[in-house]
Amino acid sequence: MATTVSNTTSFGDVARSSELRGRLLFLIGALIVYRIGTFIPVPGINPAEVARFFGDRSNTILGIVNMFSGGALSRLSIFAMGVMPYISASIIIQMMSMVVPTLMELRKEGESGRRKITQYTRYGTVALALVQSFAAAGALDKGGMTLVHGWPFMLTATVTMTTGTMFLMWLGEQITERGIGNGISMIILSGIVAGLPGAVGNTIESVSNGEMQGPFALLLLLVVLATTYFVVYVERAQRRIPVDYAKRQVGRRMYAGQSSHLPFKLNMSGVIPPIFASSLLLFPATLASFAGTSATGTVGTIMQNVAAALGYGQPLHLVIYAALIIFFCFFYTALVFNARDTADNLKKSGAFVRGIRPGQQTAEYIDAVLTRLTLWGALYVTAVCLLPEILVSWKGVPFHFGGTSLLIVVVVVMDFIAQLNAHLMSHQYPGLLKKANLLGTGRSGSGGQS
C-alpha cells in the first residue's frame, strides 16, 4: 500500500534559529559566488565568436550542457565545465566500488573508508576536468574563437577551467557541510533556475512573433504544471512494509509487542539517474560536436554524424538516455540499500515482517519488493524525462522546460525542505524535552501535596 507523507515549515521558527539563519545565509552567499563566477570569462577567448557559435547550436546537445552549467558554457566562463567532471568521476568510482576488491573493502570501513573514496573521486575529477578542458580549449583554438592562439591559450584555458571545476567541487562540499541541502544538487538547481526567466521570455517572444502558436504555449504550461504535480505526488509516496516486534521481558515486566513499518520510496534514487545519464551521454556527444567543428575531411564528417545521431531529441539519443536512466535507477538503489543488512538488523532487534520468516526469507522478500518498486520508479523517471523532451525536439521548446530539469528542480527543492525541517526539529527537540520534564516535575509535586 502506498501512502503520502507531508512536512510543513514555519518560517518564524527559521527566523528564531540563529544557526539555521547562518546556514541559509551561507547557502545564499555560496550560490551568489557561483553565479558571479559564471560571468567571468576564460582569458583569451573571443566573446563575439563564442556567442555566435553557441547561438547557432542552442537547440543541440550543447544546449543541455549549457543548462547544467547555468549559462557558464555559452559564456566560456571559468566555470564552463561545471560539476559534470565531478559527477562523472563519482559514477566511475561508485561503479568500481562494486567490482574492485580494494574499494569494496573501503565501503565497509565506515567513515574512514568514505573519506578515502571521496579522495579518489577528487583525483578522478581532476583527471576528467583536465581532459575535458583541454579538448574544449583545442576546439576553441581550431574554431577561431580565441584572441590568443596555440599553446599559450590552451594551457591557460585548461588550467583555468580545471581550477573552476575543482572550486565548484569544494564549494559544493562546503554547502553540504555548512549550509542546507546537497551542495552539488543546489549548484545544479541554481543554474537551472537562473535560466528560467530567459526561457519564459523566449517562449513569450516566440508566441508574439508567431513562431509558436498560442494554444501550444498553453498546452506547454499545462504539461509543465501537470508534470510538476505528478513528480511531487510520486516523490512523496511510500510503500510501507508492516513490521512487528516480539514480546520482550525486562526484569519482572513483560512488554507487549509493537508494530511499525519499513518505508520505501517509489523513486529511491532521486535525481541521481537522470544526472548520471546526462553526464555520461553528454561527454561523448560534446567531444564529437567539438571535434566535428574543428576537424576536417573524413574524421570531421564522422564526428559530425556521431554528434548529429546523439543530438537532443534524436531517436538514438532518446533510446540511450532511457536505457541509462533505467540502469542507474537499479544501480544506485542497489548501491545505497542492502536487503541482507536490513533483514539482519530486523532479526537482531527482535522484529519480523508479518508472514515472513526472519533471516534469508525476509531479505528475499524485501529484495523482491524493492525490485518491483525500482522498476516502476525507473519507468516513472524515464517517462518524466523523455516525454517533455519529445515536445522540446518537436516544437523547439526551451531546454529548461524539459523533464530532466523539472525533475531536478522539484526533487532538490523537496529535499531542501526536508532537510530544513530536520534542522528545525533538531533545534526544537531540546525545548520540547525541557517542557516535558517541567510537566513531569509539576505533576510529581502536585501528587505529593495531595
Side-chain angles (χ1 to χ4, degrees), residues 37 40-45 50 54 65 69 72-86 125-141 146 153-169 286 290:
I40 302 176
V42 172
I45 67 167
V50 171
F54 282 95
V65 184
S69 67
L73 182 62
S74 62
R75 292 185 286 268
L76 253 297
S77 76
I78 57 176
F79 295 154
M81 294 295 104
V83 294
M84 284 304 173
Y86 174 77
T125 303
V126 174
L128 289 177
L130 283 172
V131 172
Q132 295 184 21
S133 300
F134 183 79
L140 290 170
D141 186 32
T146 63
F153 169 77
M154 294 184 63
L155 181 61
T156 303
T158 300
V159 172
T160 301
M161 290 188 285
T162 301
T163 305
T165 295
M166 300 308 298
F167 176 80
L168 287 183
M169 182 187 68
T286 304
F290 277 123

Side-chain angles (χ1 to χ4, degrees), residues 113-184:
R114 282 193 293 269
R115 285 199 297 266
K116 199 68 177 179
I117 291 177
T118 300
Q119 185 178 5
Y120 292 153
T121 303
R122 291 169 179 167
Y123 293 153
T125 303
V126 174
L128 289 177
L130 283 172
V131 172
Q132 295 184 21
S133 300
F134 183 79
L140 290 170
D141 186 32
K142 293 181 180 179
M145 290 176 278
T146 63
L147 300 175
V148 180
H149 302 284
W151 280 103
F153 169 77
M154 294 184 63
L155 181 61
T156 303
T158 300
V159 172
T160 301
M161 290 188 285
T162 301
T163 305
T165 295
M166 300 308 298
F167 176 80
L168 287 183
M169 182 187 68
W170 174 84
L171 188 65
E173 293 176 352
Q174 296 303 308
I175 292 175
T176 302
E177 180 180 353
R178 303 183 182 182
I180 299 177
N182 181 275
I184 299 299

Side-chain angles (χ1 to χ4, degrees), residues 428-450:
Q428 292 173 356
Y429 182 76
L432 294 175
L433 188 61
K434 185 177 180 180
K435 290 181 181 179
N437 292 333
L438 290 176
L439 288 175
T441 303
R443 288 173 181 172
S444 300
S446 61
Q449 293 176 358
S450 62

